[in-house]
Structure formats: structure tokens, C-alpha cells
Amino acid sequence: GDSVTQMEGPVTLSEEAFLTINCTYTATGYPSLFWYVQYPGEGLQLLLKATKADDKGSNKGFEATYRKETTSFHLEKGSVQVSDSAVYFCALSDNGSSNTGKLIFGQGTTLQVKP
Amino acid sequence: NAGVMQNPRHLVRRRGQEARLRCSPMKGHSHVYWYRQLPEEGLKFMVYLQKENIIDESGMPKERFSAEFPKEGPSILRIQQVVRGDSAAYFCASSPPWDHAGTEAFFGQGTRLTVV
């Protein structure tokens, strides 16, 4: 079945460092891809999304490009802030015949940014 | 427009009791999804409901768990005879009728269930 694999954390960076969190997926159809962020004790917030190959999602300085050839959707940010400390989840939804809109999540990557 | 509302935010139950978790979707949303997040893990899909219908319950445990989304009122996730392994955060998401790819889904803040 469909699955999402993220790089293991925690990832610890200094403020203003460059961030990459790797995400690869396996899907039989043509999924939409998402990054969600979860701050401590909170629910999930959609960070960005891409619905087809070569699309780039972006928000709040974060970017990710839907790469069909490498089945990847890596999250990047040029200069992280302490306030970016959170858990980041990569996810996909199957746009194929099931059409249920359910999401399949990776295991999450904890980012800790130090001043 | 209020977001997805879940209550309670925190719920403590003794082993063997019942837990009822409520989710009110965003206004105009007719699709509700329940996910479970075990400690240190990602979210796992449990069930997808539309008004008065269970569409996909492939992620629901076979026993003790049930879900409903009545014509009026919130969606309810019910766990009977809870055990310690049910301790987790339970998240609800809702999306509008035209969204079949999850691209317009919004999440609630979750209910954190602790079984003692």
C-alpha cells in the first residue's frame, strides 16, 4: 500500500541555518503531497501542499517540490528561527480510484532550533 | 468561521470505562476523518464518515471502537472498555463536500486520552 518515509529526527540546528527534511513516498496512483506542522501540545496545521508533479508548495519561507522521478517531497527553509521548533509531518493522499481524501502520514521529524 | 472543534481536549479514563470523543466539523464541511497518534509516532487513519454514513473504516480496530456522524450534532468516536494501549492523541479533520483528495482538510486540536 501507499506509504511515506521521513528522515529520522531529532534535527537540531542553530538559528539562521539551512533546513532540509527528507521525505519520500510510495504510491500506486497520483497522490497529492503535504507538509503539516505540529507545535507542542497542539493539533496539525497545514504548512504547504502540492497536487501534481513539479508543483512547488511554499509558505512562511518553507518550500517543497513534488518530484515524481525521485518520489520525493523534501522540505527546505533557507534560514530557520527558534519559533520553527516543532514536529513536521509529510503526508500524501491518494487521488486515485478510492477518492476518500484520507491522508497517510510519515512518522514525523522533530526540529529543534537553538538561539 | 470557527475551525474544527474537538472536545474534550484532555480525557482521563480508568481501564474498563468508556471514552467518548466529539468533533464538530467546520461550517459547510460534510466529511469527517478520525486519526490516532500514538506516542512518538505519526498519525494513523482510523475512519472516514459523511453525514449518517461510514465511508471507510479500514483503520478502525475490530473491537471496542465505533464512530458515527449523525444528521445533527458532532461526530463521535467511542471507545468501549478502554485499555492502557488506547492512550493516545485522537485528531479529527473535516473537509468540504467537493474535496475528495484531502487537499482542503482542516484539523482540530485533538483529544488526548489517558487511560490509568
Side-chain angles (χ1 to χ4, degrees):
Chain A
D2 295 357
S3 65
V4 175
T5 302
Q6 292 180 233
M7 64 186 287
E8 287 196 20
V11 174
T12 303
L13 296 173
S14 298
E15 206 165 23
E16 298 184 4
F18 184 85
L19 168 71
T20 300
I21 300 178
N22 290 339
C23 171
T24 57
Y25 67 90
T26 302
T28 53
Y30 301 93
S32 293
L33 301 174
F34 308 82
W35 277 100
Y36 281 86
V37 59
Q38 184 179 32
Y39 298 101
E42 299 293 324
L44 271 71
Q45 300 175 27
L46 178 64
L47 182 59
L48 52 84
K49 64 185 178 187
T51 57
K52 61 183 188 297
D54 299 326
D55 270 2
K56 177 187 281 188
S58 61
N59 185 26
K60 299 180 182 178
F62 291 89
E63 292 183 341
T65 301
Y66 189 143
R67 301 281 187 205
K68 191 170 185 295
E69 63 276 14
T70 55
T71 61
S72 65
F73 193 55
H74 305 321
L75 183 68
E76 296 181 336
K77 186 175 185 182
S79 176
V80 293
Q81 306 300 313
V82 172
S83 57
D84 294 326
S85 299
V87 181
Y88 292 81
F89 292 96
C90 185
L92 68 80
S93 72
D94 182 9
N95 291 339
S97 59
S98 64
N99 266 350
T100 62
K102 71 183 183 186
L103 299 174
I104 296 170
F105 286 86
Q107 71 270 34
T109 302
T110 299
L111 170 65
Q112 187 175 34
V113 181
K114 297 189 173 181
Chain B
N1 187 7
V4 178
M5 304 301 292
Q6 289 189 248
N7 68 81
R9 290 289 306 276
H10 300 276
L11 182 62
V12 179
R13 284 287 177 266
R14 295 186 183 280
R15 281 178 295 168
Q17 290 185 318
E18 178 180 284
R20 281 183 180 241
L21 288 62
R22 294 174 183 76
C23 170
S24 296
M26 285 182 68
K27 187 176 180 181
H29 285 193
S30 59
H31 300 181
V32 167
Y33 304 82
W34 285 94
Y35 293 86
R36 178 165 64 175
Q37 183 180 29
L38 294 169
E40 307 299 325
E41 292 188 17
L43 279 75
K44 304 289 187 194
F45 168 77
M46 298 181 76
V47 62
Y48 162 43
L49 310 105
Q50 295 178 13
K51 285 283 188 182
E52 300 184 281
N53 283 304
I54 296 173
I55 307 301
D56 180 349
E57 55 181 348
S58 58
M60 287 280 269
K62 295 287 184 261
E63 297 177 345
R64 303 187 296 108
F65 285 71
S66 62
E68 63 177 8
F69 188 17
K71 188 176 180 181
E72 302 290 338
S75 176
I76 306 287
L77 179 67
R78 182 181 178 208
I79 311 172
Q80 294 178 290
Q81 299 177 310
V82 295
V83 300
R84 288 230 171 96
D86 297 332
S87 295
Y90 292 83
F91 290 95
C92 170
S94 73
S95 64
W98 60 85
D99 179 25
H100 298 286
T103 55
E104 307 296 331
F106 285 84
F107 279 79
Q109 292 197 300
T111 294
R112 280 156 180 82
L113 172 65
T114 302
V115 179
V116 297

